[in-house]
Amino acid sequence: MNTSAIHRLTRFSGILAAFLVVVSLPLFLITASISWSVNDQGLYRRGFERYDVSIVTRITGPDLIQAGAEIRGYFNSRQEPLSVQTKIQGIHQELFNRREILHMADVKRLIWLVYGVAAATGGYLLLMTLAGLAWKPQKHAPILAKLYLSGGVLTLGLLVLIGLLSLGGFDRLFLKFHQISFSNDLWQLNQNTDYLLMMFPEPFWFYATVWVATFTVAGALVAMIISAGYLITHSRSLKKEAPLPADQPERAL
């Protein structure tokens, strides 16, 4: 391989690495926010209270919290199938039917995919940041700051796009998500008889989506503020260190 080909390959590798940093930031922020939401007991509790889930399901508040904990435990384990037993109107019984249990297996696989994307993109961002700061930091730190700033802008742009799409109705967006995410119709449940829908009605998911978006925006703003602050400080530092122009010799009149 000649020198020109090596130079082109090196340049392409650098562009690809930079592109992946920019793309990885929104993917990491979104998937990390989803991962947090899936495992946040407070989000479950607030959702149950906000949408009167205890009244709808006839399951006491403490039993609902326990059921939520068992669902989270299922998501984070290799346990199959899902088995949640609770009291409904004082009668101890299995909470979910076979169709719901099969659907939750699909949901679990989707959540593990989200976990995987969060780990992969977070690991890549950490690796690239540490490598850039360890090797020629004066050269790479400003580049990393620009990439994180671009990634933050991309994150906000994606959320604005999702927000615009949801103007047609969150229910349509929610329906499209299910059609894309699942290859079967197990998610088509009865809201009057299936406890999975009674525990997690569509407004609950809108509420959870708002929280995911809020944390994603917060993460993007933090990345943008830190990056912009560094770039401004770096620019001012370069101006101070720039040598003053030498005095020009006087011209003869």
Side-chain angles (χ1 to χ4, degrees), residues 84-118:
V84 179
Q85 295 187 358
T86 190
K87 292 180 180 179
I88 303 175
Q89 288 187 313
I91 301 174
H92 195 79
Q93 64 186 73
E94 189 73 31
L95 182 57
F96 301 122
N97 60 40
R98 177 171 174 76
R99 187 178 182 87
E100 292 170 294
I101 291 171
L102 291 175
H103 175 57
M104 288 296 272
D106 291 337
V107 173
K108 182 177 182 176
R109 284 189 285 270
L110 185 61
I111 289 174
W112 279 33
L113 175 62
V114 170
Y115 287 169
V117 173

PDB file of all heavy atoms in Angstrom, residues 84-118:
ATOM      1  N   VAL A  84     -45.839 -13.299  37.941  1.00  0.00           N
ATOM      2  CA  VAL A  84     -46.145 -12.319  38.984  1.00  0.00           C
ATOM      3  C   VAL A  84     -47.458 -12.715  39.631  1.00  0.00           C
ATOM      4  O   VAL A  84     -48.496 -12.759  38.963  1.00  0.00           O
ATOM      5  CB  VAL A  84     -46.257 -10.889  38.404  1.00  0.00           C
ATOM      6  CG1 VAL A  84     -46.613  -9.898  39.511  1.00  0.00           C
ATOM      7  CG2 VAL A  84     -44.953 -10.481  37.728  1.00  0.00           C
ATOM      8  N   GLN A  85     -47.409 -13.011  40.895  1.00  0.00           N
ATOM      9  CA  GLN A  85     -48.619 -13.358  41.633  1.00  0.00           C
ATOM     10  C   GLN A  85     -48.943 -12.246  42.624  1.00  0.00           C
ATOM     11  O   GLN A  85     -48.052 -11.720  43.294  1.00  0.00           O
ATOM     12  CB  GLN A  85     -48.428 -14.681  42.373  1.00  0.00           C
ATOM     13  CG  GLN A  85     -48.234 -15.865  41.444  1.00  0.00           C
ATOM     14  CD  GLN A  85     -48.221 -17.189  42.166  1.00  0.00           C
ATOM     15  OE1 GLN A  85     -48.328 -17.244  43.389  1.00  0.00           O
ATOM     16  NE2 GLN A  85     -48.111 -18.274  41.411  1.00  0.00           N
ATOM     17  N   THR A  86     -50.198 -11.882  42.700  1.00  0.00           N
ATOM     18  CA  THR A  86     -50.609 -10.803  43.581  1.00  0.00           C
ATOM     19  C   THR A  86     -52.055 -11.027  44.019  1.00  0.00           C
ATOM     20  O   THR A  86     -52.708 -11.980  43.573  1.00  0.00           O
ATOM     21  CB  THR A  86     -50.474  -9.442  42.876  1.00  0.00           C
ATOM     22  OG1 THR A  86     -50.658  -8.379  43.831  1.00  0.00           O
ATOM     23  CG2 THR A  86     -51.498  -9.302  41.753  1.00  0.00           C
ATOM     24  N   LYS A  87     -52.543 -10.135  44.867  1.00  0.00           N
ATOM     25  CA  LYS A  87     -53.923 -10.219  45.332  1.00  0.00           C
ATOM     26  C   LYS A  87     -54.794  -9.242  44.558  1.00  0.00           C
ATOM     27  O   LYS A  87     -54.491  -8.055  44.492  1.00  0.00           O
ATOM     28  CB  LYS A  87     -54.009  -9.907  46.827  1.00  0.00           C
ATOM     29  CG  LYS A  87     -53.366 -10.960  47.723  1.00  0.00           C
ATOM     30  CD  LYS A  87     -53.505 -10.564  49.182  1.00  0.00           C
ATOM     31  CE  LYS A  87     -52.861 -11.618  50.088  1.00  0.00           C
ATOM     32  NZ  LYS A  87     -52.970 -11.239  51.534  1.00  0.00           N
ATOM     33  N   ILE A  88     -55.848  -9.768  43.967  1.00  0.00           N
ATOM     34  CA  ILE A  88     -56.830  -8.943  43.269  1.00  0.00           C
ATOM     35  C   ILE A  88     -58.147  -9.089  44.013  1.00  0.00           C
ATOM     36  O   ILE A  88     -58.706 -10.189  44.078  1.00  0.00           O
ATOM     37  CB  ILE A  88     -56.984  -9.376  41.801  1.00  0.00           C
ATOM     38  CG1 ILE A  88     -55.630  -9.308  41.087  1.00  0.00           C
ATOM     39  CG2 ILE A  88     -58.008  -8.497  41.088  1.00  0.00           C
ATOM     40  CD1 ILE A  88     -55.661  -9.832  39.667  1.00  0.00           C
ATOM     41  N   GLN A  89     -58.580  -7.979  44.614  1.00  0.00           N
ATOM     42  CA  GLN A  89     -59.746  -8.013  45.499  1.00  0.00           C
ATOM     43  C   GLN A  89     -59.568  -9.081  46.592  1.00  0.00           C
ATOM     44  O   GLN A  89     -60.499  -9.800  46.936  1.00  0.00           O
ATOM     45  CB  GLN A  89     -61.030  -8.278  44.707  1.00  0.00           C
ATOM     46  CG  GLN A  89     -61.469  -7.090  43.863  1.00  0.00           C
ATOM     47  CD  GLN A  89     -62.820  -7.295  43.221  1.00  0.00           C
ATOM     48  OE1 GLN A  89     -63.100  -8.342  42.631  1.00  0.00           O
ATOM     49  NE2 GLN A  89     -63.698  -6.300  43.338  1.00  0.00           N
ATOM     50  N   GLY A  90     -58.358  -9.163  47.093  1.00  0.00           N
ATOM     51  CA  GLY A  90     -58.056 -10.067  48.194  1.00  0.00           C
ATOM     52  C   GLY A  90     -57.796 -11.501  47.798  1.00  0.00           C
ATOM     53  O   GLY A  90     -57.452 -12.334  48.647  1.00  0.00           O
ATOM     54  N   ILE A  91     -57.936 -11.828  46.507  1.00  0.00           N
ATOM     55  CA  ILE A  91     -57.731 -13.201  46.045  1.00  0.00           C
ATOM     56  C   ILE A  91     -56.344 -13.317  45.432  1.00  0.00           C
ATOM     57  O   ILE A  91     -56.004 -12.595  44.482  1.00  0.00           O
ATOM     58  CB  ILE A  91     -58.804 -13.604  45.024  1.00  0.00           C
ATOM     59  CG1 ILE A  91     -60.202 -13.480  45.641  1.00  0.00           C
ATOM     60  CG2 ILE A  91     -58.565 -15.021  44.514  1.00  0.00           C
ATOM     61  CD1 ILE A  91     -61.322 -13.723  44.662  1.00  0.00           C
ATOM     62  N   HIS A  92     -55.534 -14.237  45.954  1.00  0.00           N
ATOM     63  CA  HIS A  92     -54.168 -14.432  45.466  1.00  0.00           C
ATOM     64  C   HIS A  92     -54.214 -15.198  44.143  1.00  0.00           C
ATOM     65  O   HIS A  92     -54.767 -16.295  44.071  1.00  0.00           O
ATOM     66  CB  HIS A  92     -53.349 -15.217  46.503  1.00  0.00           C
ATOM     67  CG  HIS A  92     -51.872 -15.152  46.255  1.00  0.00           C
ATOM     68  ND1 HIS A  92     -51.112 -14.067  46.601  1.00  0.00           N
ATOM     69  CD2 HIS A  92     -51.026 -16.048  45.684  1.00  0.00           C
ATOM     70  CE1 HIS A  92     -49.853 -14.288  46.280  1.00  0.00           C
ATOM     71  NE2 HIS A  92     -49.777 -15.482  45.716  1.00  0.00           N
ATOM     72  N   GLN A  93     -53.630 -14.616  43.096  1.00  0.00           N
ATOM     73  CA  GLN A  93     -53.687 -15.253  41.783  1.00  0.00           C
ATOM     74  C   GLN A  93     -52.566 -14.765  40.876  1.00  0.00           C
ATOM     75  O   GLN A  93     -51.873 -13.782  41.177  1.00  0.00           O
ATOM     76  CB  GLN A  93     -55.040 -14.978  41.124  1.00  0.00           C
ATOM     77  CG  GLN A  93     -55.296 -13.495  40.830  1.00  0.00           C
ATOM     78  CD  GLN A  93     -56.700 -13.270  40.311  1.00  0.00           C
ATOM     79  OE1 GLN A  93     -57.685 -13.339  41.046  1.00  0.00           O
ATOM     80  NE2 GLN A  93     -56.806 -12.991  39.019  1.00  0.00           N
ATOM     81  N   GLU A  94     -52.393 -15.477  39.760  1.00  0.00           N
ATOM     82  CA  GLU A  94     -51.428 -15.068  38.736  1.00  0.00           C
ATOM     83  C   GLU A  94     -51.954 -13.800  38.061  1.00  0.00           C
ATOM     84  O   GLU A  94     -53.132 -13.708  37.706  1.00  0.00           O
ATOM     85  CB  GLU A  94     -51.250 -16.174  37.702  1.00  0.00           C
ATOM     86  CG  GLU A  94     -50.116 -15.945  36.727  1.00  0.00           C
ATOM     87  CD  GLU A  94     -48.738 -16.125  37.345  1.00  0.00           C
ATOM     88  OE1 GLU A  94     -48.593 -16.941  38.278  1.00  0.00           O
ATOM     89  OE2 GLU A  94     -47.801 -15.436  36.884  1.00  0.00           O
ATOM     90  N   LEU A  95     -51.064 -12.818  37.898  1.00  0.00           N
ATOM     91  CA  LEU A  95     -51.507 -11.520  37.405  1.00  0.00           C
ATOM     92  C   LEU A  95     -51.707 -11.511  35.889  1.00  0.00           C
ATOM     93  O   LEU A  95     -52.708 -10.989  35.389  1.00  0.00           O
ATOM     94  CB  LEU A  95     -50.496 -10.439  37.808  1.00  0.00           C
ATOM     95  CG  LEU A  95     -50.825  -9.004  37.408  1.00  0.00           C
ATOM     96  CD1 LEU A  95     -52.172  -8.563  37.970  1.00  0.00           C
ATOM     97  CD2 LEU A  95     -49.709  -8.064  37.890  1.00  0.00           C
ATOM     98  N   PHE A  96     -50.793 -12.096  35.149  1.00  0.00           N
ATOM     99  CA  PHE A  96     -50.835 -11.993  33.689  1.00  0.00           C
ATOM    100  C   PHE A  96     -51.216 -13.317  33.035  1.00  0.00           C
ATOM    101  O   PHE A  96     -50.842 -14.396  33.516  1.00  0.00           O
ATOM    102  CB  PHE A  96     -49.472 -11.537  33.155  1.00  0.00           C
ATOM    103  CG  PHE A  96     -49.025 -10.203  33.707  1.00  0.00           C
ATOM    104  CD1 PHE A  96     -47.828 -10.093  34.391  1.00  0.00           C
ATOM    105  CD2 PHE A  96     -49.815  -9.076  33.545  1.00  0.00           C
ATOM    106  CE1 PHE A  96     -47.416  -8.878  34.896  1.00  0.00           C
ATOM    107  CE2 PHE A  96     -49.414  -7.846  34.045  1.00  0.00           C
ATOM    108  CZ  PHE A  96     -48.210  -7.748  34.733  1.00  0.00           C
ATOM    109  N   ASN A  97     -51.939 -13.223  31.924  1.00  0.00           N
ATOM    110  CA  ASN A  97     -52.289 -14.418  31.173  1.00  0.00           C
ATOM    111  C   ASN A  97     -51.174 -14.777  30.186  1.00  0.00           C
ATOM    112  O   ASN A  97     -50.164 -14.067  30.076  1.00  0.00           O
ATOM    113  CB  ASN A  97     -53.632 -14.237  30.448  1.00  0.00           C
ATOM    114  CG  ASN A  97     -53.597 -13.076  29.460  1.00  0.00           C
ATOM    115  OD1 ASN A  97     -52.615 -12.859  28.751  1.00  0.00           O
ATOM    116  ND2 ASN A  97     -54.686 -12.304  29.412  1.00  0.00           N
ATOM    117  N   ARG A  98     -51.353 -15.876  29.473  1.00  0.00           N
ATOM    118  CA  ARG A  98     -50.292 -16.393  28.602  1.00  0.00           C
ATOM    119  C   ARG A  98     -49.910 -15.391  27.509  1.00  0.00           C
ATOM    120  O   ARG A  98     -48.727 -15.205  27.221  1.00  0.00           O
ATOM    121  CB  ARG A  98     -50.735 -17.711  27.963  1.00  0.00           C
ATOM    122  CG  ARG A  98     -49.715 -18.277  26.992  1.00  0.00           C
ATOM    123  CD  ARG A  98     -50.069 -19.684  26.549  1.00  0.00           C
ATOM    124  NE  ARG A  98     -49.160 -20.154  25.504  1.00  0.00           N
ATOM    125  CZ  ARG A  98     -47.909 -20.559  25.701  1.00  0.00           C
ATOM    126  NH1 ARG A  98     -47.409 -20.544  26.919  1.00  0.00           N
ATOM    127  NH2 ARG A  98     -47.160 -20.974  24.692  1.00  0.00           N
ATOM    128  N   ARG A  99     -50.881 -14.738  26.912  1.00  0.00           N
ATOM    129  CA  ARG A  99     -50.584 -13.775  25.846  1.00  0.00           C
ATOM    130  C   ARG A  99     -49.749 -12.611  26.381  1.00  0.00           C
ATOM    131  O   ARG A  99     -48.792 -12.172  25.738  1.00  0.00           O
ATOM    132  CB  ARG A  99     -51.891 -13.267  25.238  1.00  0.00           C
ATOM    133  CG  ARG A  99     -51.698 -12.393  23.998  1.00  0.00           C
ATOM    134  CD  ARG A  99     -53.031 -11.960  23.422  1.00  0.00           C
ATOM    135  NE  ARG A  99     -52.863 -11.167  22.222  1.00  0.00           N
ATOM    136  CZ  ARG A  99     -52.751 -11.646  21.001  1.00  0.00           C
ATOM    137  NH1 ARG A  99     -52.789 -12.951  20.797  1.00  0.00           N
ATOM    138  NH2 ARG A  99     -52.597 -10.847  19.962  1.00  0.00           N
ATOM    139  N   GLU A 100     -50.095 -12.125  27.555  1.00  0.00           N
ATOM    140  CA  GLU A 100     -49.335 -11.040  28.166  1.00  0.00           C
ATOM    141  C   GLU A 100     -47.912 -11.480  28.492  1.00  0.00           C
ATOM    142  O   GLU A 100     -46.948 -10.724  28.295  1.00  0.00           O
ATOM    143  CB  GLU A 100     -50.037 -10.567  29.443  1.00  0.00           C
ATOM    144  CG  GLU A 100     -51.371  -9.880  29.197  1.00  0.00           C
ATOM    145  CD  GLU A 100     -52.127  -9.647  30.490  1.00  0.00           C
ATOM    146  OE1 GLU A 100     -52.532 -10.650  31.134  1.00  0.00           O
ATOM    147  OE2 GLU A 100     -52.306  -8.475  30.863  1.00  0.00           O
ATOM    148  N   ILE A 101     -47.783 -12.705  28.986  1.00  0.00           N
ATOM    149  CA  ILE A 101     -46.465 -13.237  29.349  1.00  0.00           C
ATOM    150  C   ILE A 101     -45.572 -13.356  28.110  1.00  0.00           C
ATOM    151  O   ILE A 101     -44.383 -12.994  28.148  1.00  0.00           O
ATOM    152  CB  ILE A 101     -46.614 -14.599  30.053  1.00  0.00           C
ATOM    153  CG1 ILE A 101     -47.245 -14.403  31.440  1.00  0.00           C
ATOM    154  CG2 ILE A 101     -45.269 -15.295  30.184  1.00  0.00           C
ATOM    155  CD1 ILE A 101     -47.641 -15.696  32.129  1.00  0.00           C
ATOM    156  N   LEU A 102     -46.127 -13.835  27.016  1.00  0.00           N
ATOM    157  CA  LEU A 102     -45.360 -13.946  25.775  1.00  0.00           C
ATOM    158  C   LEU A 102     -44.953 -12.565  25.261  1.00  0.00           C
ATOM    159  O   LEU A 102     -43.839 -12.377  24.751  1.00  0.00           O
ATOM    160  CB  LEU A 102     -46.180 -14.689  24.717  1.00  0.00           C
ATOM    161  CG  LEU A 102     -46.418 -16.183  24.981  1.00  0.00           C
ATOM    162  CD1 LEU A 102     -47.356 -16.770  23.928  1.00  0.00           C
ATOM    163  CD2 LEU A 102     -45.089 -16.947  24.993  1.00  0.00           C
ATOM    164  N   HIS A 103     -45.852 -11.599  25.380  1.00  0.00           N
ATOM    165  CA  HIS A 103     -45.520 -10.242  24.942  1.00  0.00           C
ATOM    166  C   HIS A 103     -44.406  -9.649  25.806  1.00  0.00           C
ATOM    167  O   HIS A 103     -43.510  -8.970  25.290  1.00  0.00           O
ATOM    168  CB  HIS A 103     -46.759  -9.342  25.002  1.00  0.00           C
ATOM    169  CG  HIS A 103     -46.454  -7.908  24.679  1.00  0.00           C
ATOM    170  ND1 HIS A 103     -45.876  -7.517  23.493  1.00  0.00           N
ATOM    171  CD2 HIS A 103     -46.634  -6.763  25.409  1.00  0.00           C
ATOM    172  CE1 HIS A 103     -45.720  -6.204  23.493  1.00  0.00           C
ATOM    173  NE2 HIS A 103     -46.168  -5.730  24.641  1.00  0.00           N
ATOM    174  N   MET A 104     -44.440  -9.928  27.105  1.00  0.00           N
ATOM    175  CA  MET A 104     -43.405  -9.400  27.990  1.00  0.00           C
ATOM    176  C   MET A 104     -42.041 -10.000  27.669  1.00  0.00           C
ATOM    177  O   MET A 104     -41.006  -9.348  27.872  1.00  0.00           O
ATOM    178  CB  MET A 104     -43.778  -9.662  29.440  1.00  0.00           C
ATOM    179  CG  MET A 104     -44.925  -8.796  29.935  1.00  0.00           C
ATOM    180  SD  MET A 104     -44.510  -7.033  29.948  1.00  0.00           S
ATOM    181  CE  MET A 104     -43.774  -6.894  31.578  1.00  0.00           C
ATOM    182  N   ALA A 105     -42.005 -11.206  27.145  1.00  0.00           N
ATOM    183  CA  ALA A 105     -40.739 -11.787  26.691  1.00  0.00           C
ATOM    184  C   ALA A 105     -40.180 -10.975  25.522  1.00  0.00           C
ATOM    185  O   ALA A 105     -38.966 -10.734  25.435  1.00  0.00           O
ATOM    186  CB  ALA A 105     -40.928 -13.245  26.292  1.00  0.00           C
ATOM    187  N   ASP A 106     -41.076 -10.536  24.621  1.00  0.00           N
ATOM    188  CA  ASP A 106     -40.654  -9.676  23.510  1.00  0.00           C
ATOM    189  C   ASP A 106     -40.165  -8.328  24.025  1.00  0.00           C
ATOM    190  O   ASP A 106     -39.166  -7.789  23.532  1.00  0.00           O
ATOM    191  CB  ASP A 106     -41.817  -9.463  22.536  1.00  0.00           C
ATOM    192  CG  ASP A 106     -42.186 -10.727  21.769  1.00  0.00           C
ATOM    193  OD1 ASP A 106     -41.319 -11.613  21.649  1.00  0.00           O
ATOM    194  OD2 ASP A 106     -43.338 -10.823  21.303  1.00  0.00           O
ATOM    195  N   VAL A 107     -40.873  -7.785  24.996  1.00  0.00           N
ATOM    196  CA  VAL A 107     -40.476  -6.502  25.591  1.00  0.00           C
ATOM    197  C   VAL A 107     -39.104  -6.624  26.245  1.00  0.00           C
ATOM    198  O   VAL A 107     -38.261  -5.731  26.130  1.00  0.00           O
ATOM    199  CB  VAL A 107     -41.523  -6.030  26.628  1.00  0.00           C
ATOM    200  CG1 VAL A 107     -41.032  -4.794  27.365  1.00  0.00           C
ATOM    201  CG2 VAL A 107     -42.858  -5.748  25.938  1.00  0.00           C
ATOM    202  N   LYS A 108     -38.877  -7.741  26.927  1.00  0.00           N
ATOM    203  CA  LYS A 108     -37.588  -7.972  27.587  1.00  0.00           C
ATOM    204  C   LYS A 108     -36.445  -7.981  26.575  1.00  0.00           C
ATOM    205  O   LYS A 108     -35.388  -7.377  26.818  1.00  0.00           O
ATOM    206  CB  LYS A 108     -37.636  -9.295  28.351  1.00  0.00           C
ATOM    207  CG  LYS A 108     -36.366  -9.624  29.123  1.00  0.00           C
ATOM    208  CD  LYS A 108     -36.552 -10.923  29.888  1.00  0.00           C
ATOM    209  CE  LYS A 108     -35.344 -11.279  30.714  1.00  0.00           C
ATOM    210  NZ  LYS A 108     -35.562 -12.485  31.535  1.00  0.00           N
ATOM    211  N   ARG A 109     -36.645  -8.640  25.445  1.00  0.00           N
ATOM    212  CA  ARG A 109     -35.608  -8.666  24.411  1.00  0.00           C
ATOM    213  C   ARG A 109     -35.338  -7.266  23.891  1.00  0.00           C
ATOM    214  O   ARG A 109     -34.181  -6.895  23.628  1.00  0.00           O
ATOM    215  CB  ARG A 109     -36.025  -9.594  23.261  1.00  0.00           C
ATOM    216  CG  ARG A 109     -35.879 -11.081  23.599  1.00  0.00           C
ATOM    217  CD  ARG A 109     -36.082 -11.945  22.362  1.00  0.00           C
ATOM    218  NE  ARG A 109     -37.498 -12.019  21.999  1.00  0.00           N
ATOM    219  CZ  ARG A 109     -38.326 -12.939  22.447  1.00  0.00           C
ATOM    220  NH1 ARG A 109     -37.905 -13.849  23.308  1.00  0.00           N
ATOM    221  NH2 ARG A 109     -39.583 -12.966  22.055  1.00  0.00           N
ATOM    222  N   LEU A 110     -36.386  -6.463  23.745  1.00  0.00           N
ATOM    223  CA  LEU A 110     -36.222  -5.092  23.291  1.00  0.00           C
ATOM    224  C   LEU A 110     -35.455  -4.262  24.324  1.00  0.00           C
ATOM    225  O   LEU A 110     -34.575  -3.458  23.970  1.00  0.00           O
ATOM    226  CB  LEU A 110     -37.598  -4.468  23.022  1.00  0.00           C
ATOM    227  CG  LEU A 110     -37.616  -3.060  22.423  1.00  0.00           C
ATOM    228  CD1 LEU A 110     -36.932  -3.045  21.070  1.00  0.00           C
ATOM    229  CD2 LEU A 110     -39.047  -2.554  22.300  1.00  0.00           C
ATOM    230  N   ILE A 111     -35.760  -4.460  25.595  1.00  0.00           N
ATOM    231  CA  ILE A 111     -35.069  -3.734  26.654  1.00  0.00           C
ATOM    232  C   ILE A 111     -33.595  -4.114  26.711  1.00  0.00           C
ATOM    233  O   ILE A 111     -32.722  -3.262  26.891  1.00  0.00           O
ATOM    234  CB  ILE A 111     -35.753  -3.988  28.014  1.00  0.00           C
ATOM    235  CG1 ILE A 111     -37.106  -3.268  28.058  1.00  0.00           C
ATOM    236  CG2 ILE A 111     -34.870  -3.529  29.178  1.00  0.00           C
ATOM    237  CD1 ILE A 111     -37.925  -3.564  29.289  1.00  0.00           C
ATOM    238  N   TRP A 112     -33.306  -5.385  26.530  1.00  0.00           N
ATOM    239  CA  TRP A 112     -31.903  -5.817  26.514  1.00  0.00           C
ATOM    240  C   TRP A 112     -31.158  -5.213  25.323  1.00  0.00           C
ATOM    241  O   TRP A 112     -29.965  -4.923  25.417  1.00  0.00           O
ATOM    242  CB  TRP A 112     -31.821  -7.346  26.505  1.00  0.00           C
ATOM    243  CG  TRP A 112     -31.992  -7.956  27.867  1.00  0.00           C
ATOM    244  CD1 TRP A 112     -32.777  -7.488  28.883  1.00  0.00           C
ATOM    245  CD2 TRP A 112     -31.378  -9.147  28.376  1.00  0.00           C
ATOM    246  NE1 TRP A 112     -32.706  -8.305  29.978  1.00  0.00           N
ATOM    247  CE2 TRP A 112     -31.850  -9.340  29.703  1.00  0.00           C
ATOM    248  CE3 TRP A 112     -30.494 -10.071  27.832  1.00  0.00           C
ATOM    249  CZ2 TRP A 112     -31.451 -10.416  30.486  1.00  0.00           C
ATOM    250  CZ3 TRP A 112     -30.099 -11.155  28.618  1.00  0.00           C
ATOM    251  CH2 TRP A 112     -30.565 -11.319  29.932  1.00  0.00           C
ATOM    252  N   LEU A 113     -31.858  -5.032  24.210  1.00  0.00           N
ATOM    253  CA  LEU A 113     -31.254  -4.351  23.066  1.00  0.00           C
ATOM    254  C   LEU A 113     -30.931  -2.902  23.433  1.00  0.00           C
ATOM    255  O   LEU A 113     -29.853  -2.387  23.093  1.00  0.00           O
ATOM    256  CB  LEU A 113     -32.201  -4.389  21.865  1.00  0.00           C
ATOM    257  CG  LEU A 113     -31.760  -3.608  20.625  1.00  0.00           C
ATOM    258  CD1 LEU A 113     -30.453  -4.160  20.077  1.00  0.00           C
ATOM    259  CD2 LEU A 113     -32.843  -3.649  19.547  1.00  0.00           C
ATOM    260  N   VAL A 114     -31.849  -2.247  24.131  1.00  0.00           N
ATOM    261  CA  VAL A 114     -31.615  -0.875  24.592  1.00  0.00           C
ATOM    262  C   VAL A 114     -30.411  -0.837  25.532  1.00  0.00           C
ATOM    263  O   VAL A 114     -29.544   0.036  25.415  1.00  0.00           O
ATOM    264  CB  VAL A 114     -32.873  -0.321  25.299  1.00  0.00           C
ATOM    265  CG1 VAL A 114     -32.562   1.000  26.005  1.00  0.00           C
ATOM    266  CG2 VAL A 114     -34.002  -0.126  24.302  1.00  0.00           C
ATOM    267  N   TYR A 115     -30.347  -1.797  26.463  1.00  0.00           N
ATOM    268  CA  TYR A 115     -29.191  -1.888  27.361  1.00  0.00           C
ATOM    269  C   TYR A 115     -27.895  -2.013  26.553  1.00  0.00           C
ATOM    270  O   TYR A 115     -26.877  -1.382  26.858  1.00  0.00           O
ATOM    271  CB  TYR A 115     -29.316  -3.103  28.279  1.00  0.00           C
ATOM    272  CG  TYR A 115     -30.339  -2.997  29.390  1.00  0.00           C
ATOM    273  CD1 TYR A 115     -30.691  -4.117  30.137  1.00  0.00           C
ATOM    274  CD2 TYR A 115     -30.957  -1.796  29.710  1.00  0.00           C
ATOM    275  CE1 TYR A 115     -31.618  -4.043  31.169  1.00  0.00           C
ATOM    276  CE2 TYR A 115     -31.886  -1.709  30.727  1.00  0.00           C
ATOM    277  CZ  TYR A 115     -32.215  -2.846  31.462  1.00  0.00           C
ATOM    278  OH  TYR A 115     -33.137  -2.763  32.479  1.00  0.00           O
ATOM    279  N   GLY A 116     -27.933  -2.870  25.541  1.00  0.00           N
ATOM    280  CA  GLY A 116     -26.745  -3.113  24.735  1.00  0.00           C
ATOM    281  C   GLY A 116     -26.285  -1.869  23.989  1.00  0.00           C
ATOM    282  O   GLY A 116     -25.088  -1.564  23.945  1.00  0.00           O
ATOM    283  N   VAL A 117     -27.229  -1.135  23.403  1.00  0.00           N
ATOM    284  CA  VAL A 117     -26.885   0.099  22.685  1.00  0.00           C
ATOM    285  C   VAL A 117     -26.320   1.136  23.654  1.00  0.00           C
ATOM    286  O   VAL A 117     -25.336   1.829  23.336  1.00  0.00           O
ATOM    287  CB  VAL A 117     -28.117   0.657  21.949  1.00  0.00           C
ATOM    288  CG1 VAL A 117     -27.813   2.032  21.349  1.00  0.00           C
ATOM    289  CG2 VAL A 117     -28.573  -0.307  20.855  1.00  0.00           C
ATOM    290  N   ALA A 118     -26.925   1.243  24.829  1.00  0.00           N
ATOM    291  CA  ALA A 118     -26.426   2.189  25.837  1.00  0.00           C
ATOM    292  C   ALA A 118     -24.999   1.842  26.246  1.00  0.00           C
ATOM    293  O   ALA A 118     -24.132   2.722  26.343  1.00  0.00           O
ATOM    294  CB  ALA A 118     -27.343   2.194  27.057  1.00  0.00           C
TER     295      ALA A 118
END
